[in-house]
Amino acid sequence: MSNLSLWPIGNCQVSALIDEAAGFVWGCQPRVDGDPLFCSLLDPKDERAMPRGEWRITVENQAKAEQWYLRNTPILVTRLTDSDGAAVEIFDFCPRFQRSGRMYRPVAFVRIVRPVSGAPRIRVSLNPSTNWGGKDAARTSGTNHIRYLLKPQPLRLTTDAPVAHLLEGRAFRAEKSLHFFLGPDEPFVGNVGHTLAQMLHQTADEWRSWVRGLAIPLEWQRVVIRAAITLKLCMYEETGAIVAALTTSIPEAPNSGRNWDYRYCWIRDAYYTVQALNRLGALDVLENYLSYLRNIVDESKGGHIQPLYAVSGEPKLDEYEAEGLAGYRGMGPVRVGNAAYTQVQHDAYGQIILSNAQAFFDERLFRKATNDDFAALEKVGERAWTMHDQPDAGLWEFRTRTSVHTYSSVMSWAGCDRLANAASVLGLSDRAVLWRERAEAIRKRIEKSAWHEGEGRFAASFGGDDLDASLLQLIDMRFLAPDDPRFVSTFNAVEQGLRRGEHMLRYAAEDDFGLPETAFNFCTFWLIEALHLVGREQEARELYTSTLERLTPAGLLSEDSDFATGELWGNYPQTYSLVGLINCAGLLSKPWSAVR
């Protein structure tokens, strides 16, 4: 079983990861890129009698633990059974439903414990941390609540369980349903049991209604639905930002030092996320994200746009190490912030335009793009045009070297090409001609400078001979057709150079940290897509099926896989990987007409 057997819950404001034994081991507040109140996943150094940064419910003499999500929701059920057969079921979720004309999604976590057989004795241990695992949160208590003095905002646990037992970590008999609401530091209005039971039903209905609107493929439906739900959990709905993952510092390979904080919005990752969800018809995520992008574009004033931003839109993400945490399985460092925000990555301009392009054509949107939006987007296009043949850090964010990366240049081409499409639909014929001419000029430059004549293929950088899995994106971006001999030769070279059995590397050359030790899961999905598009359909299906065998019990993937053992590494759940699950299912599935 994977060491990343973690189950996400959330409400698009906050989220938490729950381990195989009903422990909240990761979760931040008041938003996904905040200070973790649950941090035991990253091993607090200063252990206490009650583990720091954790909320755990156990049964005495536990013999078995089983877990599942309520169908089509991120509501987790954990059944804990003791050696005598006595059992409880724990329902974990973050409330999310319509109330008073708006979405109710508080900074809150709910746990409902229901005895289902026998007389189980349970222990509830809640010890949130503050200051990045540096210390236990101070607390005060009342008759039915415990206040935790967290920063930037305190939280209150309201419960109908005996507060004294919780404070002392004492075991007690679970003879009736017990309810726990860890949320805003304010009096809880109403009967906690009745209210939380109602919240459970309302939250389940909200998620099931959202799933019901998805246009999913016939095959691998549960895989696609779970990936889609989790992608939505990675959205910070207040601003529309989409984070790359819910965690920080889970290493890409054991003891590699490749420990990064992914709880921010990368323009690139978010583009792929909305692209995948658009294919399922989840336009709410697209519309929220476009609002986030419009603010980013406004603040750039036609100048440099960073590769990533905080979910608030804050541009400064200074990177430092959290001294109070030893790291995942003791493999530090734990990094907070990400210095990649200072990098130059020119592909971002194309991705902003590609994310916006649909809004000029889609009549379903509440806010269809206007001429004013096009004028603002042209400023991004000007940057794409200006920077298309300039060196950058590339999509893999090399920290110590730059090149003119083919992927970045092709994204610039795609940005100009899509601006021409948008201008045409708006009736701006002169602008359409301009952007079409610029796209053609970039295409000619790429075809000249990225072509490796000696090997008859494209290279990953201008004038280079390097291979990179992103070259497989030449067809997804419509730069080349799948049957173009130039793509076929490039694909053959990439497969030969970077494929490792059932896995795909990003690149095989040394980088800032040495040779890559794990495969990048998203690149494996790019390989599957390419196999399908060049007509190797059976191989594509077999590779997709074998990739599904590496899903965690929650049905998800992290960023990386050990290409020898298949063990998952890297931040979790990774949006890139979930996008791959969705895109490949859509490409490979039999049509719905097959069952009609």
PDB file of all heavy atoms in Angstrom, residues 3 24 164 190 196 202 282 393 423 428 450 483 491 530 532 545 590:
ATOM      1  N   ASN A   3       2.531   4.800   0.757  1.00  0.00           N
ATOM      2  CA  ASN A   3       2.720   5.603   1.948  1.00  0.00           C
ATOM      3  C   ASN A   3       1.898   6.877   1.901  1.00  0.00           C
ATOM      4  O   ASN A   3       1.776   7.572   2.903  1.00  0.00           O
ATOM      5  CB  ASN A   3       4.200   5.955   2.112  1.00  0.00           C
ATOM      6  CG  ASN A   3       5.016   4.762   2.572  1.00  0.00           C
ATOM      7  OD1 ASN A   3       4.707   4.134   3.570  1.00  0.00           O
ATOM      8  ND2 ASN A   3       6.053   4.436   1.823  1.00  0.00           N
ATOM      9  N   PHE A  24      -6.543  13.295  11.178  1.00  0.00           N
ATOM     10  CA  PHE A  24      -6.267  14.486  10.380  1.00  0.00           C
ATOM     11  C   PHE A  24      -4.782  14.785  10.533  1.00  0.00           C
ATOM     12  O   PHE A  24      -4.330  15.209  11.599  1.00  0.00           O
ATOM     13  CB  PHE A  24      -7.061  15.691  10.913  1.00  0.00           C
ATOM     14  CG  PHE A  24      -8.500  15.743  10.519  1.00  0.00           C
ATOM     15  CD1 PHE A  24      -9.358  14.667  10.727  1.00  0.00           C
ATOM     16  CD2 PHE A  24      -9.032  16.893   9.964  1.00  0.00           C
ATOM     17  CE1 PHE A  24     -10.694  14.739  10.378  1.00  0.00           C
ATOM     18  CE2 PHE A  24     -10.375  16.977   9.618  1.00  0.00           C
ATOM     19  CZ  PHE A  24     -11.213  15.897   9.824  1.00  0.00           C
ATOM     20  N   ALA A 164     -14.173  17.110  29.065  1.00  0.00           N
ATOM     21  CA  ALA A 164     -13.070  16.694  29.943  1.00  0.00           C
ATOM     22  C   ALA A 164     -12.316  15.513  29.355  1.00  0.00           C
ATOM     23  O   ALA A 164     -11.080  15.440  29.452  1.00  0.00           O
ATOM     24  CB  ALA A 164     -13.618  16.341  31.327  1.00  0.00           C
ATOM     25  N   GLY A 190     -27.853  26.618  17.980  1.00  0.00           N
ATOM     26  CA  GLY A 190     -28.663  25.447  17.695  1.00  0.00           C
ATOM     27  C   GLY A 190     -28.089  24.173  18.297  1.00  0.00           C
ATOM     28  O   GLY A 190     -27.032  24.157  18.930  1.00  0.00           O
ATOM     29  N   LEU A 196     -25.333  19.400  12.615  1.00  0.00           N
ATOM     30  CA  LEU A 196     -24.277  18.730  11.841  1.00  0.00           C
ATOM     31  C   LEU A 196     -24.840  17.603  10.991  1.00  0.00           C
ATOM     32  O   LEU A 196     -24.344  17.354   9.884  1.00  0.00           O
ATOM     33  CB  LEU A 196     -23.182  18.215  12.766  1.00  0.00           C
ATOM     34  CG  LEU A 196     -22.388  19.271  13.544  1.00  0.00           C
ATOM     35  CD1 LEU A 196     -21.137  18.659  14.174  1.00  0.00           C
ATOM     36  CD2 LEU A 196     -22.012  20.454  12.666  1.00  0.00           C
ATOM     37  N   GLN A 202     -26.825  18.196   3.501  1.00  0.00           N
ATOM     38  CA  GLN A 202     -26.766  19.319   2.564  1.00  0.00           C
ATOM     39  C   GLN A 202     -25.462  19.322   1.767  1.00  0.00           C
ATOM     40  O   GLN A 202     -25.453  19.619   0.569  1.00  0.00           O
ATOM     41  CB  GLN A 202     -26.920  20.638   3.334  1.00  0.00           C
ATOM     42  CG  GLN A 202     -28.307  20.872   3.879  1.00  0.00           C
ATOM     43  CD  GLN A 202     -28.362  22.113   4.753  1.00  0.00           C
ATOM     44  OE1 GLN A 202     -27.719  22.185   5.803  1.00  0.00           O
ATOM     45  NE2 GLN A 202     -29.132  23.102   4.328  1.00  0.00           N
ATOM     46  N   ALA A 282     -17.438  21.507 -16.490  1.00  0.00           N
ATOM     47  CA  ALA A 282     -17.453  22.162 -15.176  1.00  0.00           C
ATOM     48  C   ALA A 282     -17.065  23.629 -15.330  1.00  0.00           C
ATOM     49  O   ALA A 282     -15.963  24.059 -14.968  1.00  0.00           O
ATOM     50  CB  ALA A 282     -16.500  21.439 -14.223  1.00  0.00           C
ATOM     51  N   ALA A 393      13.420  29.915 -17.524  1.00  0.00           N
ATOM     52  CA  ALA A 393      13.708  28.749 -16.680  1.00  0.00           C
ATOM     53  C   ALA A 393      12.967  27.509 -17.148  1.00  0.00           C
ATOM     54  O   ALA A 393      13.273  26.401 -16.695  1.00  0.00           O
ATOM     55  CB  ALA A 393      13.342  29.058 -15.220  1.00  0.00           C
ATOM     56  N   ALA A 423     -10.153  37.477 -31.999  1.00  0.00           N
ATOM     57  CA  ALA A 423     -10.386  38.693 -32.772  1.00  0.00           C
ATOM     58  C   ALA A 423     -11.380  38.438 -33.902  1.00  0.00           C
ATOM     59  O   ALA A 423     -12.247  39.277 -34.196  1.00  0.00           O
ATOM     60  CB  ALA A 423      -9.062  39.216 -33.330  1.00  0.00           C
ATOM     61  N   LEU A 428     -13.012  41.789 -35.242  1.00  0.00           N
ATOM     62  CA  LEU A 428     -11.861  42.704 -35.271  1.00  0.00           C
ATOM     63  C   LEU A 428     -10.862  42.181 -36.302  1.00  0.00           C
ATOM     64  O   LEU A 428      -9.820  41.628 -35.968  1.00  0.00           O
ATOM     65  CB  LEU A 428     -11.221  42.795 -33.878  1.00  0.00           C
ATOM     66  CG  LEU A 428     -12.172  43.214 -32.735  1.00  0.00           C
ATOM     67  CD1 LEU A 428     -11.466  43.099 -31.384  1.00  0.00           C
ATOM     68  CD2 LEU A 428     -12.685  44.625 -32.958  1.00  0.00           C
ATOM     69  N   ALA A 450      14.339  25.166 -33.288  1.00  0.00           N
ATOM     70  CA  ALA A 450      14.168  24.009 -32.409  1.00  0.00           C
ATOM     71  C   ALA A 450      14.352  22.686 -33.151  1.00  0.00           C
ATOM     72  O   ALA A 450      14.355  21.632 -32.527  1.00  0.00           O
ATOM     73  CB  ALA A 450      12.793  24.042 -31.744  1.00  0.00           C
ATOM     74  N   ASP A 483      -0.180  13.004 -37.277  1.00  0.00           N
ATOM     75  CA  ASP A 483       0.422  12.247 -38.372  1.00  0.00           C
ATOM     76  C   ASP A 483       1.525  13.023 -39.089  1.00  0.00           C
ATOM     77  O   ASP A 483       2.050  12.572 -40.110  1.00  0.00           O
ATOM     78  CB  ASP A 483      -0.642  11.815 -39.377  1.00  0.00           C
ATOM     79  CG  ASP A 483      -1.397  12.998 -39.994  1.00  0.00           C
ATOM     80  OD1 ASP A 483      -1.166  14.147 -39.542  1.00  0.00           O
ATOM     81  OD2 ASP A 483      -2.226  12.768 -40.902  1.00  0.00           O
ATOM     82  N   PHE A 491       8.308  12.139 -31.382  1.00  0.00           N
ATOM     83  CA  PHE A 491       7.707  11.215 -30.412  1.00  0.00           C
ATOM     84  C   PHE A 491       8.572   9.968 -30.250  1.00  0.00           C
ATOM     85  O   PHE A 491       8.826   9.522 -29.120  1.00  0.00           O
ATOM     86  CB  PHE A 491       6.295  10.847 -30.872  1.00  0.00           C
ATOM     87  CG  PHE A 491       5.643   9.761 -30.054  1.00  0.00           C
ATOM     88  CD1 PHE A 491       5.762   9.727 -28.677  1.00  0.00           C
ATOM     89  CD2 PHE A 491       4.912   8.752 -30.665  1.00  0.00           C
ATOM     90  CE1 PHE A 491       5.150   8.733 -27.919  1.00  0.00           C
ATOM     91  CE2 PHE A 491       4.308   7.755 -29.927  1.00  0.00           C
ATOM     92  CZ  PHE A 491       4.433   7.746 -28.546  1.00  0.00           C
ATOM     93  N   ALA A 530      -0.271  10.524 -26.524  1.00  0.00           N
ATOM     94  CA  ALA A 530       0.456  10.451 -27.782  1.00  0.00           C
ATOM     95  C   ALA A 530       0.315   9.069 -28.425  1.00  0.00           C
ATOM     96  O   ALA A 530       0.138   8.956 -29.646  1.00  0.00           O
ATOM     97  CB  ALA A 530       1.928  10.794 -27.563  1.00  0.00           C
ATOM     98  N   HIS A 532      -2.167   7.068 -28.195  1.00  0.00           N
ATOM     99  CA  HIS A 532      -3.515   7.024 -28.778  1.00  0.00           C
ATOM    100  C   HIS A 532      -3.568   7.801 -30.088  1.00  0.00           C
ATOM    101  O   HIS A 532      -4.108   7.311 -31.098  1.00  0.00           O
ATOM    102  CB  HIS A 532      -4.516   7.598 -27.772  1.00  0.00           C
ATOM    103  CG  HIS A 532      -5.838   7.961 -28.361  1.00  0.00           C
ATOM    104  ND1 HIS A 532      -6.807   7.027 -28.664  1.00  0.00           N
ATOM    105  CD2 HIS A 532      -6.362   9.168 -28.716  1.00  0.00           C
ATOM    106  CE1 HIS A 532      -7.861   7.635 -29.178  1.00  0.00           C
ATOM    107  NE2 HIS A 532      -7.618   8.937 -29.223  1.00  0.00           N
ATOM    108  N   THR A 545      -4.489   1.578 -18.040  1.00  0.00           N
ATOM    109  CA  THR A 545      -5.003   0.614 -17.064  1.00  0.00           C
ATOM    110  C   THR A 545      -3.965   0.291 -15.996  1.00  0.00           C
ATOM    111  O   THR A 545      -4.279   0.217 -14.795  1.00  0.00           O
ATOM    112  CB  THR A 545      -5.449  -0.674 -17.774  1.00  0.00           C
ATOM    113  OG1 THR A 545      -6.451  -0.355 -18.755  1.00  0.00           O
ATOM    114  CG2 THR A 545      -6.021  -1.679 -16.794  1.00  0.00           C
ATOM    115  N   LYS A 590     -14.743   4.083 -24.730  1.00  0.00           N
ATOM    116  CA  LYS A 590     -15.756   3.792 -25.736  1.00  0.00           C
ATOM    117  C   LYS A 590     -16.826   4.881 -25.666  1.00  0.00           C
ATOM    118  O   LYS A 590     -17.074   5.457 -24.609  1.00  0.00           O
ATOM    119  CB  LYS A 590     -16.405   2.429 -25.456  1.00  0.00           C
ATOM    120  CG  LYS A 590     -15.441   1.254 -25.488  1.00  0.00           C
ATOM    121  CD  LYS A 590     -16.146  -0.010 -25.006  1.00  0.00           C
ATOM    122  CE  LYS A 590     -15.167  -1.175 -24.906  1.00  0.00           C
ATOM    123  NZ  LYS A 590     -15.792  -2.380 -24.308  1.00  0.00           N
TER     124      LYS A 590
END
